[in-house]
Amino acid sequence: MNLDFSQIVPYIPFILEGIGATLKFVSVSIVIGFILGTLLALCKVTKVPVLKPFADAYTSIFRGTPLILQLMIIYYAVPQLTGYDISAFISAVLAFGLNSAAYISEIIRGGIQAVEKGQTEAAEALGIPYRPMMAHIILPQAFKNILPAMMNEFITLTKESALVSTIGYLDLMRRAQVVGSDLYRNFEPLLFAGLIYWVMVFILTQFGRLLERRLRQSD
Amino acid sequence: MIKTENITKKFGKQTVLKNISTTIQHGEVVAVIGPSGSGKSTFLRCLNLLELPTEGKIWLNKQEITDPKQNKLAVRKHIGMVFQHFHLFPHMTVLDNVAYAPQKVKGISKQEAYQIATNLLAKVGLTDKEEAYPNRLSGGQKQRVAIARALAMEPEIMLFDEPTSALDPEMVKEVLDVMKDLANTGMTMVVVTHEMNFAKEVADRILFLDQGKLIEEADPSTFFQAPATERAKDFLDKVL
């Protein structure tokens, strides 16, 4: 066994900076994915025509093609088509946000449809308009039920974020690779990066459990 | 006052209600009875437009509420409804359940809404449950909260869709008592029920439905002692 972790010590600050880079674009992607996903889910359950086929087509496209392909198209094709030199960060946020919205919209749609029909009827019978009914009665119950699935999606997103290393964004993964080629030793930096990913996911999981427990107070 | 004129409701090819015409006067308590599948609940749900009649018209006071231009939500503000399975909002406390709609629908202040809610919960005997979540309540308590929630909108008419059918037997009385109190205040009520004693005691009029048709309409003493139709006689023989 030829392992020597002491060699990566000088590179540790460089790798750790990748945590910030990764978290920055993952959190922005989650926000985009969540907001867009919620809107798409509302389109899917509405009776207004056109919106549903649009949302279904959107989901079909973003779930039906590889994420790395979407990332490449945004990063390489946008400059070719428009002449606008899109940054790696913006590309990453767009690709992950738009992609994740497709998955999140399906999760939320399922959550909305799982809320008992009587809840809608009770709200309607009270004369509560659609928006407050969705915002205060249906969605809070839907979100509570789908929290585990949602945490799953966020965890997947956090890990899949390593794909952005392919467009040169200096995230955790890319930095581990850079260190690897600098040292001609790959195992140590990759293992170190792996540990950091695991810790991030672990913290996210704990946070999810905490949230679940808080939402369960009405049970 | 609520008036129906020849309302018919079809679900696909199935006709659930056939030409029902009746008038419920202000302050009247009407019990709707009949075998299951007779269309009682559908009739009730037409009254607040949870179901839209396929044909026919409904008036609330002078206004035709089945007019397609009519805003359904505006109509429902004046008509409270209590469901068999309560349908309380599980993520809100009892107090929030009652205070929510007046704020969102009538736009009254938070303070006023909570004052109304507190008073109503006192009336239905649930002051000590204000901060509880619905899942902590018994069926009877849930239904009393549901009644308070509907009353918080200060409706002109209250609709009850089998309000005691989902309850354990020993909880039926507490709900019926609240409904009796409500009837005594002069509230206009339409009650779909299997509680024949309640219908006999409290109702001013009985509507008997069978296979989607209103086949008998009478005051309770006439209906229970001398039903006019064979079908009603047969039904009463089985349930009494």
Side-chain angles (χ1 to χ4, degrees), chain A residues 79-92:
Chain A
Q80 183 193 332
L81 287 179
T82 65
Y84 173 72
D85 191 14
I86 194 167
S87 74
F89 176 75
I90 301 287
S91 307

Side-chain angles (χ1 to χ4, degrees), chain B residues 8 15 61 63 69 98-99 130 136 139 147 183-184 187 197 234:
Chain B
T8 293
T15 306
N61 301 324
Q63 208 167 18
K69 285 188 293 251
V98 182
E130 279 183 357
R136 296 269 169 222
I147 293 172
N184 288 334
M187 174 63 80
N197 286 326
D234 193 43

Side-chain angles (χ1 to χ4, degrees), chain A residues 142-155:
Chain A
F143 284 139
K144 185 178 144 188
N145 294 335
I146 62 180
L147 199 62
M150 209 68 134
M151 285 319 290
N152 231 346
E153 171 60 22
F154 294 157
I155 287 168

Side-chain angles (χ1 to χ4, degrees), chain B residues 13-240:
Chain B
K13 280 182 183 158
Q14 204 190 355
T15 306
V16 197
L17 287 180
K18 285 172 205 156
N19 295 321
I20 302 215
S21 299
T22 189
T23 303
I24 292 139
Q25 298 295 347
H26 182 74
E28 203 181 11
V29 177
V30 173
V32 185
I33 62 177
S36 22
S38 60
K40 310 180 294 285
S41 288
T42 309
F43 170 70
L44 196 74
R45 290 162 61 86
C46 282
L47 296 182
N48 70 347
L49 306 177
L50 277 184
E51 304 290 353
L52 281 181
T54 319
E55 290 158 36
K57 291 175 179 173
I58 302 173
W59 280 272
L60 178 64
N61 301 324
K62 294 261 150 37
Q63 208 167 18
E64 194 208 320
I65 60 174
T66 36
D67 185 334
K69 285 188 293 251
Q70 177 65 52
N71 179 347
K72 289 185 212 165
L73 293 178
V75 172
R76 292 178 185 142
K77 269 196 265 188
H78 306 289
I79 307 178
M81 187 166 201
V82 174
F83 298 87
Q84 180 178 358
H85 295 287
F86 332 119
H87 301 324
L88 295 179
F89 306 132
H91 59 302
M92 296 184 188
T93 63
V94 164
L95 195 60
D96 289 337
N97 260 280
V98 182
Y100 177 77
Q103 292 174 73
K104 289 295 155 190
V105 181
K106 295 168 91 182
I108 69 172
S109 72
K110 193 172 174 181
Q111 204 189 355
E112 202 185 335
Y114 279 88
Q115 191 56 53
I116 293 173
T118 309
N119 291 344
L120 283 168
L121 287 171
K123 262 189 201 152
V124 299
L126 289 171
T127 299
D128 56 328
K129 298 290 180 191
E130 279 183 357
E131 296 307 322
Y133 283 94
N135 288 355
R136 296 269 169 222
L137 304 183
S138 72
Q141 290 169 333
K142 282 183 196 169
Q143 198 59 299
R144 286 186 280 152
V145 175
I147 293 172
R149 180 177 68 173
L151 288 175
M153 289 294 295
E154 294 171 333
E156 281 174 50
I157 299 175
M158 284 283 283
L159 309 178
F160 293 85
D161 191 3
E162 302 197 23
T164 58
S165 297
L167 299 179
D168 287 339
E170 72 264 37
M171 286 164 191
V172 170
K173 188 172 175 291
E174 62 186 62
V175 172
L176 292 181
D177 284 347
V178 167
M179 289 169 64
K180 272 181 215 168
D181 288 346
L182 191 58
N184 288 334
T185 66
M187 174 63 80
T188 312
M189 292 164 64
V190 185
V191 186
V192 170
T193 188
H194 293 295
E195 293 293 328
M196 294 304 148
N197 286 326
F198 177 81
K200 217 182 280 185
E201 246 178 86
V202 184
D204 300 306
R205 191 152 51 98
I206 307 286
L207 303 186
F208 179 71
L209 267 67
D210 186 42
Q211 296 184 344
K213 285 186 223 154
L214 175 59
I215 60 172
E216 201 161 336
E217 194 172 359
D219 66 273
S221 54
T222 314
F223 179 79
F224 284 103
Q225 279 154 31
T229 60
E230 215 34 60
R231 185 66 191 92
K233 235 177 261 175
D234 193 43
F235 175 77
L236 288 174
D237 278 347
K238 281 177 187 150
V239 297
L240 290 179

Side-chain angles (χ1 to χ4, degrees), chain A residues 204-218:
Chain A
L204 199 56
T205 311
Q206 293 306 313
F207 173 71
R209 293 221 175 116
L210 192 80
L211 206 60
E212 242 179 277
R213 221 172 300 145
R214 280 202 50 181
L215 287 177
R216 231 185 272 146
Q217 62 173 334
S218 63

Side-chain angles (χ1 to χ4, degrees), chain A residues 28-212:
Chain A
V28 177
S29 303
I30 285 179
V31 171
I32 293 177
F34 185 73
I35 294 172
L36 191 59
T38 307
L39 292 175
L40 285 168
L42 289 173
C43 289
K44 288 175 184 180
V45 298
T46 182
K47 285 173 195 147
V48 183
V50 190
L51 290 179
K52 188 175 150 43
F54 165 76
D56 284 343
Y58 179 97
T59 306
S60 174
I61 291 167
F62 278 92
R63 274 204 313 193
T65 56
L67 175 54
I68 191 165
L69 177 104
Q70 294 162 16
L71 183 65
M72 297 275 162
I73 285 181
I74 292 172
Y75 186 62
Y76 293 115
V78 166
Q80 183 193 332
L81 287 179
T82 65
Y84 173 72
D85 191 14
I86 194 167
S87 74
F89 176 75
I90 301 287
S91 307
V93 161
L94 275 180
F96 279 78
L98 296 178
N99 181 275
S100 165
Y103 286 91
I104 290 177
S105 73
E106 277 300 289
I107 298 174
I108 296 177
R109 179 186 62 83
I112 292 174
Q113 286 171 344
V115 174
E116 212 199 333
K117 197 162 166 276
Q119 292 290 310
T120 312
E121 287 191 347
E124 284 176 350
L126 286 164
I128 298 168
Y130 185 78
R131 272 177 188 222
M133 173 180 85
M134 272 295 166
H136 303 139
I137 293 166
I138 306 299
L139 286 178
Q141 295 184 58
F143 284 139
K144 185 178 144 188
N145 294 335
I146 62 180
L147 199 62
M150 209 68 134
M151 285 319 290
N152 231 346
E153 171 60 22
F154 294 157
I155 287 168
T156 306
L157 190 67
T158 307
K159 289 183 301 176
E160 296 291 298
S161 73
L163 279 180
V164 294
S165 59
T166 59
I167 59 168
Y169 183 69
L170 270 178
D171 73 327
L172 193 52
M173 181 68 193
R174 181 76 192 143
R175 280 165 198 259
Q177 287 174 329
V178 169
V179 173
S181 51
D182 231 30
L183 288 175
Y184 297 106
R185 306 180 71 90
N186 281 303
F187 194 74
E188 293 88 342
L190 288 177
L191 202 65
F192 185 59
L195 177 73
I196 297 173
Y197 276 113
W198 180 82
V199 170
M200 288 200 296
V201 169
F202 182 79
I203 292 171
L204 199 56
T205 311
Q206 293 306 313
F207 173 71
R209 293 221 175 116
L210 192 80
L211 206 60
E212 242 179 277

